[in-house]
Amino acid sequence: MDRLQKLESNGIYILREAYKSFGSLCMLWSIGKDSTVLLHLARKAFFGHVPFPLVHIDTSFKIPEMISYRDKMVKEWHLDMIVGQNKEAIREKETYPDGKLNRIQCCMKLKSEALRHTISGDWPRLRFDHKQSKYIEEKDAKPFSGVIVGVRADEEGTRSKERVFSPRNTEGNWNIVGQPPELWNYYNTDFAPGTHVRIHPILEWTELDIWEYIEREKIPVVSLYFDNGCGKRYRSLGCAPCTSPIISSAKNVSEIVKELSSGSLKGIAERTGREQDKEDGGTLETLRKDGYM
């Protein structure tokens, strides 16, 4: 069994453990490469059917190609898709692009706060209706006690402190020093009633693993990851006002694998194009403690 086969096998095992252990489960789908690999693993784990809803937090500032790709795959793969949003902040223009907040405050409003209320079900959320082929407001929205997330430890320092099964309090806050240990691949899924748990099945994957797996499995990803002729491509996707492409001529998955394998991006952080990381002194710890995905 090679490295990718081991990673795939472990990821599927974690997904099945999560499904068995938590009665109310959802999976975050940011539309990026990592959570799309996670979605592919879920389809494999449950024989082509994803038995829990996907959740996307739409800040209204996502790059349009991301939303087009999301809705295309929702229809093709017949996914159960829920979309949450901080409508009040957007309506009142309490955002960074509108000039009222800095980038970190904007992330807290449009991502962390929106995620917390979408998961709890106490804010209106949209669900894709495949019969009508459109999003409609969900009736009688129920809270989710477990949330599967496609974060990787090597992507950014704070994420390396995560556990595979990571408890949060009722407000979604993360106590880094109080996490239960995970020794010898023993995963703790026994938490006190009312605990909200984040589950990270691809925590040990690297950026190169992700792209090699996408290449091997022929997983469709959004075209923003590729150079379309301008000599630039996105390495990490986020909101348009805070995300920049990197200089790269990689036009397909194979060329990205070669680029990463060659070491040409060595010493350049994967999230170097994400401006909010720089505003917080180089880490996402402030945001993640507050519930950021």
Side-chain angles (χ1 to χ4, degrees):
M1 187 180 288
D2 64 21
R3 175 174 171 80
L4 288 183
Q5 288 170 325
K6 290 178 182 175
L7 290 170
E8 178 189 73
S9 176
N10 195 48
I12 287 174
Y13 170 73
I14 293 166
L15 284 165
R16 289 174 176 166
E17 279 291 295
Y19 184 62
K20 181 188 73 175
S21 304
F22 297 95
S24 180
L25 194 63
C26 69
M27 175 188 286
L28 297 188
W29 188 26
S30 71
I31 322 301
K33 60 188 185 301
D34 303 325
S35 59
T36 301
V37 162
L38 187 60
L39 172 56
H40 180 80
L41 287 176
R43 296 180 79 224
K44 273 202 162 185
F46 302 101
F47 309 102
H49 168 67
V50 182
F52 33 75
L54 301 177
V55 171
H56 180 231
I57 302 302
D58 187 354
T59 63
S60 80
F61 293 104
K62 297 294 182 184
I63 304 170
E65 286 94 324
M66 296 172 67
I67 304 301
S68 299
Y69 167 82
R70 179 195 72 188
D71 292 342
K72 176 174 180 289
M73 301 317 298
V74 165
K75 295 174 186 174
E76 286 188 11
W77 288 348
H78 206 77
L79 302 170
D80 184 5
M81 187 79 226
I82 290 174
V83 175
Q85 195 172 57
N86 190 339
K87 291 183 180 297
E88 182 179 349
I90 294 169
R91 183 174 60 249
E92 298 300 323
K93 298 189 181 301
E94 292 284 342
T95 72
Y96 166 75
D98 290 304
K100 291 187 179 178
L101 303 178
N102 64 33
R103 287 188 171 93
I104 297 297
Q105 292 167 333
C106 184
C107 281
M108 288 177 172
K109 280 278 185 183
L110 300 190
K111 294 181 180 178
S112 304
E113 194 173 330
L115 175 63
R116 183 164 57 249
H117 289 285
T118 298
I119 289 171
S120 68
D122 60 3
W123 278 5
R125 58 193 192 195
L126 301 178
R127 198 160 196 158
F128 192 80
D129 185 316
H130 284 273
K131 290 183 179 177
Q132 301 184 59
S133 194
K134 66 178 184 180
Y135 289 92
I136 59 175
E137 188 167 318
E138 189 179 22
K139 295 179 181 176
D140 194 24
K142 299 286 192 303
F144 297 109
S145 56
V147 182
I148 305 169
V149 189
V151 303
R152 300 181 352 254
D154 80 319
E155 185 183 0
E156 175 272 329
T158 304
R159 286 173 169 149
S160 67
K161 302 174 184 175
E162 285 281 9
R163 300 288 190 266
V164 172
F165 288 85
S166 178
R168 260 66 170 173
N169 68 14
T170 54
E171 297 299 315
N173 301 134
W174 180 32
N175 180 359
I176 296 177
V177 298
Q179 300 181 95
E182 289 180 337
L183 304 174
W184 307 291
N185 291 331
Y186 171 75
Y187 300 124
N188 177 26
T189 60
D190 186 15
F191 297 99
T195 304
H196 166 71
V197 180
R198 299 280 179 92
I199 302 124
H200 306 112
I202 62 169
L203 199 58
E204 62 180 311
W205 294 50
T206 67
E207 183 184 13
L208 180 57
D209 292 331
I210 290 290
W211 283 111
E212 287 181 335
Y213 189 71
I214 289 171
E215 182 178 42
R216 194 183 76 173
E217 297 290 308
K218 298 181 174 53
I219 303 170
V221 293
V222 66
S223 61
L224 293 164
Y225 283 118
F226 310 124
D227 170 29
N228 61 10
C230 64
K232 293 182 178 180
R233 69 173 185 85
Y234 287 89
R235 190 176 176 189
S236 178
L237 294 176
C239 294
C242 300
T243 311
S244 303
I246 64 167
I247 296 173
S248 168
S249 59
K251 293 181 171 56
N252 51 52
V253 176
S254 177
E255 290 181 10
I256 290 177
V257 169
K258 289 178 183 175
E259 184 181 58
L260 290 170
S261 302
S262 72
S264 61
L265 297 179
K266 186 178 181 181
I268 303 173
E270 182 178 346
R271 291 174 61 96
T272 191
R274 305 288 288 273
E275 295 300 324
Q276 71 268 38
D277 292 24
K278 303 167 189 173
E279 201 160 294
D280 190 34
T283 77
L284 281 177
E285 195 151 313
T286 304
L287 283 171
R288 290 189 60 77
K289 282 181 178 177
D290 193 47
Y292 185 81
M293 56 286 276

